[in-house]
Amino acid sequence: MSEVDETKIAAMSLEDKAAAAPAEGAAPADGTPAAGGEKKLSKNQLKKLAKGKGKKKKEKPTWGEPGGGKKKKENEKKKKLALPKPEFVNLTPKGEKKDLSQSPMADAYHPQAVEAAWQDWWEASGFYSCDPATAEGKSDDEKFVMVIPPPNVTGSLHLGHALTAAVEDTLTRWHRMLGHSTLYVPGTDHAGIATQSVVEKMLMKESSLTRHDLGREKFIEKVWEWKAEYGNRITTQLRRLGSSVDWSRERFTMDEMCSKAVVEAFNRFHEDGLLYRAERLGNWSCALKSAISDIEVDYVELEGRTFLEVKTHKGNASDPKGRYEFGVLTSFAYPIEDSDEKLIVATTRLETMLGDSAVAIHPEDARYKHLHGKHVVHPFNGRRIPIILDATLVDMAFGTGAVKITPAHDPNDYECGKRHKLEFHTVLTPEGAINHNGSQFEGLMRYDARIAVEEALKEKGLYIGKEPNKMRLGLCSRSGDILEPMITPQWYVNCSGMAKRATDAVRNKELKIVPADHEKTWFQWLDNIRDWCVSRQLWWGHQIPAWFATKKGETGVLKTDMKSNDRWVVARSEEDAYSKAEKLLGCSRDEIVLERDADVLDTWFSSGLFPFSVMGWPEQTDDLKAFYPTSLLETGLDIIFFWVARMVMMGLQLTDKLPFHTVYLHAMVRDKEGRKMSKSLGNVIDPLEVIGGCTLDTLLAKLEGGNLPPKEVARAKKDQQADFPEGIPECGSDALRFGLLAYTVQGRDVNLDMKRVVGYRMFCNKLWNATRFALQFVSDFQPTPNILEELIDSGKMAVRDKFIISRLMACCETVNTCFADYKFGDAQQAAYSYWMNDVCDVYLELIKPVVYDKSDENKDNRWTAQAALWVAIEAGLRILHPMMPFVTEELWQRLPGRGTLGDSEPESIMLAQFPLCNDAYKNLECEASMEATMNIVRACRSLRQQYNIANKVLTHYFVKIATGQAEDAAKSQTDDIKTLGKAAHVDINLDEEAIPKSVGIVVVDESTTVLMDIKGLVNYAAEMKKLEKQLSKTTGPMKQMETKMAAPGYEENVSDEVKATNTERLEAMKKKAADIEVAILNFKNLDEIEKSG
């Protein structure tokens, strides 16, 4: 290398540390604390920040760079974040390996260029697949199998999905690198309600047709066409995120394999006596015209009288906004038969009085003893309604002590109706209109009928009044519609036995739930489980494999009549149904009429089979034998019962095996203010907006399209403009994944600050520049397959070399342990700290003079430094790879020696061995020595900053240190102190007489003091003038505060909190003034010493 080249490299420095994500315990680019390492501020600092007066400490100039003020550094940050994006064209043919020899390493990290082509190559090379023949012979500890939580085919991934993908793919890549047989199965869910709704809206928009205009068969064809055209958005996003799923095994919950499993499961449940058809009260969505499961209900609490919009209604004419009244208790009177007396009842749902079957009173209520056995008369249809006695339902002290009973439209009344064998009068149509049982109100929508009934009661003199009433409304989580309790015939699965097996598995430690605090919720729900309503009144989905059988010409046998329930035939096919019907009816096939149930199964039914249906169950396929049960189920805690519990119950019932041995529930992703991410709030961010960048205009346009009130829109816009004045910069998949993993501290919620995630874009830049810088140190170095062992055995390693290998081992140990314990935030922080602190801040800087010296005398030192650096970089990239797959592959492929390390050298970093800790390579003594050395270096830097020594000026340090091991360590690393402390000379424990008087001093600890000769380096007069100016700026406010605190009435009229704050501020100002005065005195003394000398 020429002298010019060496000078050029010497001048080259790693990117400004202020622009990269910060070191352990600090925030990335914006100062937000990192997970697992939050820096605690003092009480005073917190108060200053609360008042907007907290000031950042001025950054120290970094080695090899000119000094700069805070503003300059912030501007540099912004410049680096907005590096000019070069025009990029991907020239790599799809599926081929990127030829890096044709693309020199760029000066800065550009995600689009780095991430291009790798995903296609990994996929085309079959790196994601797993051979069942190989896997079947391995123990559970040597396999890792996981199915993706199938996202809805209708949607696109949001940041919650991106967190799921980051966690799952990190685990998958880690296990693959450990040499385990690894399979990660992708898939999407057919999402019955959501998909049907999307296609219906599209059909109406494009053709002004309803699904009923087309008919079921044609409509289903349209849905499949829509799926073929739009259903691949999610797979595109997963590929951009780098998910290493086996695309050859991709499943859709309505494909042939999954559909076969659904039919088999339904039949087995029926054969086992667990599945039955019954007419019961359940949740009914008038918007969807379908039954809804209990756990698909969202509740909203109303504090009192509230007006709400009801989308299925035309609007309330008496309200300016067309809204309807809720949260009131309406009282009215029933006339008692053959009497002038009236019985007053109250309800929050007045329209249901049209279906009343009784009025209940308490048997011991003395007020109504005379009414036992009497009837009231319905005011609109004249129906005689019995007055019944019910101590279970009626509270004598509440209201009038009389309760109207509507068994067909209220859960409590339903149970009461069964106890007393009452009539069940359904008064609503599936659409939510009043039916033929509603007298003159027939045809009115339910809430219009509520208004009309109130007016009619007033006309009859039976209306008493209404008052505000706290209540809870049940909303359909799918449509947002207000649910109605309705009695409808549905298919149910008895879950009690399956639920017990699921809870026993957790109690017996066969199934592990992480974090363990979710076990309590698991038990609460499953120990009190109700039978599962699995039928839905939709067209899109798995049509129920049940047929209603009648004989030709037979009359009076109706499928809606529960008395004919025995005519339902559950079968695996229509042919199978005919065979069963022949036996049931005792006649030949040509006499039989079969009508298939038009309903479909709950979407969660097929999702519950996913871990084994994707493997080919019920067939005993090679995949099922090799990969089931799976290893882990990873998902968000919000679907623990929707999906996780059902998979466990169905897996145990149908395969007699747990579908997985561990459930890891990651936290819910919320915005930085703790709000759930929702399109209606305008706070949902598409992962691709972070990966590829997004303009501010696009972000603001999304807010305009939400349902936020104008004030909230304005507030959200202000936040977006403050957070991303230039929009979201292009961050790439690696930065997004790494940033999201930082948040996975085990807990319930993640308040996601996107600025912090964007900050990890700068870590990618730091990683890129560090490796690019390091590559110039090892450009003439040839690694070997066993380079680490050769390095350790060489006996030539300096303390700094042993230090970096020891830190590498510590990082390996921590990351492996954290991955195994699902502590991804801690693993991320350990890898981050290793790169930022150990590699970049320490080792790369220490070996500069060693690598630059190519003399024969330095040959061994240079080789060990190059070897240790190559090992540190190469293994460090492998440690990062599961979390950051693209940039690590690109950098790993660029390392010298690639392709020359023998037959066992892997093609890709994803196939390389994940680094494991070798305790023999740890060296705590060298780590302690380096820590002591760095303490000395920090003292040297502090002195340089204190006396404003220019970077180019090399100084003379004197280190006083306790004799023994500490002294030996300092002497062995004198060269390292000189390198990092910018020293011309470093003397250890020099005789006191030999140390000049004109020195600056920093006491490191009780055993170490660092002194710096400042003779001729400091303009004392100028420095004292600066300090005196600072002192005047401090004493003024200090005196003002003293005057304020001494004012009459201060003690009596000022709150304790303000007094405490003022006292702290005054003490801080006094200390600052005292420190400045000491510094001025010190400069005066030094000036006198230098003049006298």
Side-chain angles (χ1 to χ4, degrees):
M1 182 184 292
S2 69
E3 185 177 343
V4 174
D5 290 334
E6 289 190 19
T7 305
K8 187 175 179 181
I9 293 173
M12 180 181 178
S13 175
L14 299 182
E15 186 178 338
D16 181 3
K17 296 172 180 63
E24 184 175 8
D30 66 333
T32 307
E38 285 81 355
K39 183 178 178 181
K40 292 186 177 179
L41 298 175
S42 70
K43 189 175 181 183
N44 194 34
Q45 286 172 311
L46 287 169
K47 287 180 177 175
K48 283 184 179 178
L49 287 173
K51 294 189 176 184
K53 295 181 180 178
K55 293 184 178 179
K56 290 184 182 177
K57 208 170 182 180
K58 186 175 180 182
E59 305 241 9
K60 298 177 184 178
T62 0
W63 187 85
E65 296 173 342
K70 174 180 169 187
K71 181 130 187 158
K72 180 177 178 181
K73 288 188 180 292
E74 287 178 350
N75 288 336
E76 286 174 357
K77 275 192 208 178
K78 289 179 182 177
K79 285 179 183 176
K80 282 163 183 163
L81 198 62
L83 283 169
K85 183 178 176 182
E87 190 68 30
F88 172 74
V89 179
N90 182 17
L91 299 177
T92 305
K94 188 176 179 62
E96 292 188 15
K97 185 177 181 180
K98 190 188 295 187
D99 185 357
L100 297 179
S101 66
Q102 301 301 311
S103 53
M105 195 168 182
D107 289 342
Y109 168 72
H110 296 289
Q112 184 185 11
V114 170
E115 295 178 4
W118 291 122
Q119 177 72 24
D120 291 337
W121 177 59
W122 291 331
E123 196 175 323
S125 300
F127 296 157
Y128 297 165
S129 64
C130 187
D131 182 7
T134 304
E136 191 174 357
K138 292 192 173 183
S139 67
D140 289 344
D141 291 340
E142 298 174 301
K143 286 193 291 190
F144 181 75
V145 183
M146 180 170 55
V147 297
I148 197 171
N152 289 351
V153 71
T154 54
S156 60
L157 302 184
H158 53 65
L159 286 180
H161 294 112
L163 174 60
T164 299
V167 168
E168 291 179 357
D169 194 55
T170 293
L171 285 170
T172 301
R173 289 178 181 272
W174 176 58
H175 279 281
R176 189 182 288 117
M177 293 176 76
L178 288 174
H180 300 162
S181 289
T182 303
L183 180 64
Y184 182 18
V185 182
T188 48
D189 191 278
H190 65 277
I193 294 171
T195 305
Q196 180 165 310
S197 177
V198 166
V199 177
E200 281 191 272
K201 288 176 183 176
M202 181 190 74
L203 196 61
M204 179 57 66
K205 184 177 180 180
E206 293 179 356
S207 311
S208 298
L209 295 173
T210 69
R211 62 185 166 107
H212 299 283
D213 294 331
L214 281 185
R216 183 167 187 152
E217 188 176 332
K218 291 289 184 184
F219 178 75
I220 297 302
E221 288 178 8
K222 282 287 183 185
V223 181
W224 279 109
E225 288 173 11
W226 179 91
K227 195 263 179 188
E229 187 171 354
Y230 299 105
N232 295 325
R233 287 177 296 184
I234 288 170
T235 59
T236 299
Q237 288 176 305
L238 286 173
R239 284 181 166 95
R240 288 288 300 277
L241 283 164
S243 293
S244 59
V245 295
D246 185 350
W247 292 106
S248 69
R249 288 180 167 92
E250 182 184 1
R251 298 263 68 87
F252 176 55
T253 51
M254 278 190 62
D255 65 20
E256 185 178 351
M257 182 183 288
C258 291
S259 296
K260 184 176 182 180
V262 167
V263 170
E264 182 65 24
F266 192 89
N267 275 265
R268 290 200 190 183
F269 281 147
H270 188 259
E271 290 161 3
D272 292 342
L274 299 175
L275 184 136
Y276 61 94
R277 194 169 185 273
E279 199 171 50
R280 287 185 176 178
L281 187 78
N283 304 300
W284 183 266
S285 169
C286 299
L288 298 173
K289 295 185 277 294
S290 175
I292 293 295
S293 169
D294 287 343
I295 59 174
E296 292 173 305
V297 181
D298 293 332
Y299 291 99
V300 58
E301 302 290 339
L302 303 183
E303 291 301 313
R305 189 173 187 233
T306 307
F307 283 85
L308 299 173
E309 181 185 359
V310 180
K311 292 182 179 179
T312 55
H313 287 40
K314 291 182 179 179
N316 178 5
S318 62
D319 181 76
K321 296 183 178 179
R323 300 167 302 172
Y324 292 85
E325 183 183 47
F326 297 88
V328 293
L329 189 66
T330 303
S331 299
F332 69 95
Y334 268 123
I336 296 174
E337 188 180 39
D338 299 328
S339 169
D340 293 334
E341 193 177 354
K342 295 182 178 69
L343 189 55
I344 298 173
V345 294
T347 178
T348 57
R349 299 160 61 222
L350 185 58
E351 68 282 3
T352 63
M353 63 86 64
L354 300 172
D356 283 356
S357 296
V359 176
I361 56 176
H362 197 284
E364 296 177 8
D365 194 333
R367 293 172 296 176
Y368 302 126
K369 287 283 186 182
H370 67 291
L371 296 181
H372 291 195
K374 302 285 187 178
H375 290 74
V376 297
V377 179
H378 199 286
F380 300 124
N381 56 34
R383 187 167 62 238
R384 294 176 74 239
I385 297 175
I387 298 172
I388 62 172
L389 309 180
D390 195 305
T392 303
L393 183 64
V394 180
D395 178 358
M396 287 187 288
F398 182 78
T400 63
V403 180
K404 63 182 284 296
I405 306 298
T406 319
H409 290 285
D410 182 272
N412 294 322
D413 294 2
Y414 176 79
E415 297 300 328
C416 178
K418 289 199 296 183
R419 286 196 299 273
H420 295 275
K421 296 183 171 55
L422 299 175
E423 293 180 335
F424 286 67
H425 301 294
T426 298
V427 297
L428 292 176
T429 67
E431 295 80 12
I434 303 299
N435 67 13
H436 63 281
N437 289 324
S439 304
Q440 70 262 38
F441 306 101
E442 183 178 356
L444 290 176
M445 296 302 286
R446 52 186 164 155
Y447 300 124
D448 293 320
R450 178 178 296 181
I451 297 169
V453 168
E454 182 179 317
E455 291 302 315
L457 286 170
K458 287 178 181 177
E459 290 175 8
K460 290 180 177 289
L462 298 175
Y463 177 78
I464 305 300
K466 57 186 172 184
E467 59 187 36
N469 182 71
K470 285 186 177 183
M471 65 178 296
R472 188 169 74 153
L473 276 182
L475 306 180
C476 173
S477 64
R478 303 295 188 179
S479 67
D481 182 39
I482 300 169
L483 293 172
E484 199 67 48
M486 290 262 278
I487 293 177
T488 55
Q490 304 289 345
W491 291 94
Y492 291 87
V493 174
N494 183 336
C495 297
S496 56
M498 291 188 283
K500 185 179 185 306
R501 290 188 70 180
T503 54
D504 287 348
V506 174
R507 288 187 171 106
N508 299 336
K509 308 302 179 186
E510 297 170 51
L511 177 63
K512 182 180 180 182
I513 297 178
V514 181
D517 56 359
H518 294 302
E519 289 183 4
K520 183 179 179 181
T521 317
W522 179 268
F523 296 139
Q524 284 176 342
W525 191 75
L526 288 174
D527 287 342
N528 299 285
I529 198 167
R530 297 170 65 179
D531 288 0
W532 176 16
C533 174
V534 296
S535 47
R536 298 289 182 270
Q537 288 62 55
L538 304 171
W539 284 2
W540 173 246
H542 295 281
Q543 190 171 355
I544 289 174
W547 287 259
F548 190 75
T550 57
K551 294 180 180 179
K552 289 180 179 176
E554 190 174 18
T555 59
V557 181
L558 303 174
K559 63 180 180 180
T560 55
D561 187 352
M562 296 309 293
K563 294 176 183 177
S564 304
N565 226 16
D566 60 341
R567 291 296 187 93
W568 285 98
V569 175
V570 174
R572 289 169 174 80
S573 64
E574 187 175 90
E575 187 65 33
D576 184 29
Y578 270 113
S579 298
K580 290 182 177 180
E582 286 176 344
K583 295 176 183 177
L584 175 68
L585 301 178
C587 60
S588 61
R589 177 171 177 165
D590 58 356
E591 298 177 76
I592 296 172
V593 176
L594 289 182
E595 183 182 355
R596 187 167 183 177
D597 194 332
D599 292 350
V600 301
L601 285 166
D602 179 7
T603 298
W604 297 104
F605 191 95
S606 53
S607 300
L609 306 173
F610 203 68
F612 45 99
S613 67
V614 299
M615 305 298 180
W617 183 90
E619 303 300 327
Q620 290 300 305
T621 63
D622 290 342
D623 275 7
L624 189 69
K625 293 173 187 174
F627 302 122
Y628 185 80
T630 65
S631 310
L632 173 73
L633 188 282
E634 192 284 334
T635 189
L637 59 88
D638 55 325
I639 57 172
I640 184 171
F641 305 123
F642 282 99
W643 189 43
V644 181
R646 284 167 174 166
M647 279 188 289
V648 173
M649 290 192 297
M650 296 173 89
L652 287 169
Q653 179 65 31
L654 296 169
T655 71
D656 203 33
K657 296 176 182 177
L658 283 166
F660 29 75
H661 59 68
T662 303
V663 176
Y664 172 67
L665 301 167
H666 68 246
M668 286 289 293
V669 177
R670 299 183 180 274
D671 69 11
K672 66 180 181 181
E673 295 176 7
R675 298 177 303 175
K676 184 177 180 180
M677 288 198 168
S678 162
K679 287 182 181 177
S680 63
L681 292 178
N683 61 354
V684 171
I685 294 179
D686 184 334
L688 298 188
E689 293 173 347
V690 183
I691 293 172
C694 180
T695 66
L696 178 62
D697 288 343
T698 302
L699 293 173
L700 298 181
K702 284 175 63 178
L703 291 174
E704 292 285 359
N707 295 325
L708 277 176
K711 284 185 179 179
E712 289 297 312
V713 170
R715 177 188 170 194
K717 281 187 173 183
K718 188 176 179 181
D719 288 344
Q720 294 279 33
Q721 288 165 336
D723 289 347
F724 305 110
E726 306 298 326
I728 300 175
E730 179 195 22
C731 295
S733 175
D734 289 318
L736 175 60
R737 288 170 57 131
F738 203 59
L740 288 172
L741 288 172
Y743 274 99
T744 53
V745 288
Q746 292 178 7
R748 286 188 174 273
D749 291 328
V750 165
N751 290 358
L752 184 66
D753 184 352
M754 270 307 303
K755 283 199 298 183
R756 185 177 151 200
V757 174
V758 170
Y760 283 103
R761 156 74 163 82
M762 303 315 299
F763 173 68
C764 292
N765 204 46
K766 180 77 170 181
L767 183 69
W768 181 269
N769 283 346
T771 306
R772 184 169 68 96
F773 192 35
L775 287 178
Q776 300 191 57
F777 286 171
V778 292
S779 59
D780 58 346
F781 175 74
Q782 176 58 49
T784 63
N786 301 309
I787 186 63
L788 177 56
E789 291 77 7
E790 292 172 14
L791 175 66
I792 297 295
D793 294 341
S794 68
K796 302 172 183 177
M797 297 172 73
V799 172
R800 58 180 168 265
D801 306 320
K802 294 175 183 177
F803 160 80
I804 195 61
I805 299 302
S806 184
R807 295 304 302 147
L808 172 63
M809 293 300 109
C811 182
C812 294
E813 183 174 45
T814 300
V815 172
N816 277 292
T817 300
C818 290
F819 281 166
D821 293 339
Y822 310 106
K823 294 181 178 178
F824 302 98
D826 293 343
Q828 186 260 17
Q829 191 57 230
Y832 176 87
S833 178
Y834 167 74
W835 273 94
M836 294 296 292
N837 299 347
D838 301 328
V839 176
C840 295
D841 287 357
V842 178
Y843 193 68
L844 271 175
E845 300 294 332
L846 285 177
I847 63 172
K848 282 179 180 178
V850 181
V851 178
Y852 294 153
D853 183 356
K854 295 185 178 182
S855 65
D856 289 340
E857 295 80 10
N858 191 50
K859 183 177 181 181
D860 288 346
N861 288 338
R862 189 171 188 271
W863 179 86
T864 56
Q866 288 181 309
L869 177 61
W870 192 93
V871 169
I873 294 289
E874 194 274 344
L877 291 172
R878 283 186 282 140
I879 288 171
L880 280 175
H881 177 74
M883 297 178 275
M884 307 175 76
F886 294 105
V887 68
T888 51
E889 180 77 89
E890 177 100 4
L891 294 174
W892 188 83
Q893 295 285 357
R894 290 184 181 275
L895 291 179
R898 187 62 56 225
T900 67
L901 301 179
D903 295 338
S904 61
E905 182 183 358
E907 288 182 78
S908 164
I909 190 174
M910 69 177 290
L911 303 179
Q913 169 69 43
F914 193 84
L916 301 175
C917 175
N918 186 331
D919 287 335
Y921 298 166
K922 285 184 180 179
N923 195 319
L924 300 183
E925 185 178 330
C926 284
E927 289 193 43
S929 176
M930 184 60 74
E931 179 59 29
T933 297
M934 291 308 296
N935 285 337
I936 294 171
V937 168
R938 281 188 279 270
C940 295
R941 290 170 173 171
S942 176
L943 285 164
R944 294 180 68 89
Q945 183 189 37
Q946 181 180 343
Y947 294 103
N948 293 321
I949 306 301
N951 280 335
K952 62 183 179 181
V953 177
L954 301 182
T955 52
H956 189 166
Y957 295 106
F958 305 90
V959 180
K960 295 180 181 180
I961 194 165
T963 56
Q965 188 175 356
E967 181 183 28
D968 294 341
K971 286 182 175 179
S972 69
Q973 290 193 256
T974 301
D975 288 344
D976 295 336
I977 296 170
K978 286 173 65 176
T979 299
L980 297 183
K982 298 184 176 67
H985 304 284
V986 175
D987 289 312
I988 310 292
N989 285 343
L990 201 65
D991 290 341
E992 195 71 35
E993 296 77 19
I995 299 175
K997 301 294 183 183
S998 56
V999 291
I1001 303 173
V1002 169
V1003 178
V1004 177
D1005 53 38
E1006 64 276 3
S1007 62
T1008 308
T1009 301
V1010 178
L1011 305 92
M1012 180 178 72
D1013 187 359
I1014 58 175
K1015 186 176 181 179
L1017 299 179
V1018 178
N1019 184 332
Y1020 298 112
E1023 293 301 324
M1024 284 189 283
K1025 188 174 181 181
K1026 289 179 188 176
L1027 289 171
E1028 284 164 357
K1029 189 175 180 181
Q1030 287 183 36
L1031 183 61
S1032 66
K1033 287 183 178 180
T1034 303
T1035 53
M1038 184 175 71
K1039 288 176 181 177
Q1040 288 177 358
M1041 181 62 73
E1042 287 175 331
T1043 302
K1044 179 180 178 181
M1045 293 173 67
Y1050 177 82
E1051 289 297 328
E1052 297 81 12
N1053 300 324
V1054 178
S1055 69
D1056 290 341
E1057 184 180 355
V1058 173
K1059 283 191 285 189
T1061 302
N1062 289 342
T1063 300
E1064 284 188 27
R1065 291 177 62 192
L1066 181 60
E1067 291 303 316
M1069 287 188 282
K1070 284 181 176 179
K1071 184 180 184 304
K1072 182 178 180 181
D1075 288 344
I1076 295 172
E1077 287 171 347
V1078 169
I1080 292 172
L1081 183 60
N1082 181 42
F1083 276 130
K1084 284 181 179 177
N1085 292 335
L1086 289 170
D1087 190 22
E1088 290 172 4
I1089 290 169
E1090 193 164 313
K1091 286 175 180 176
S1092 64

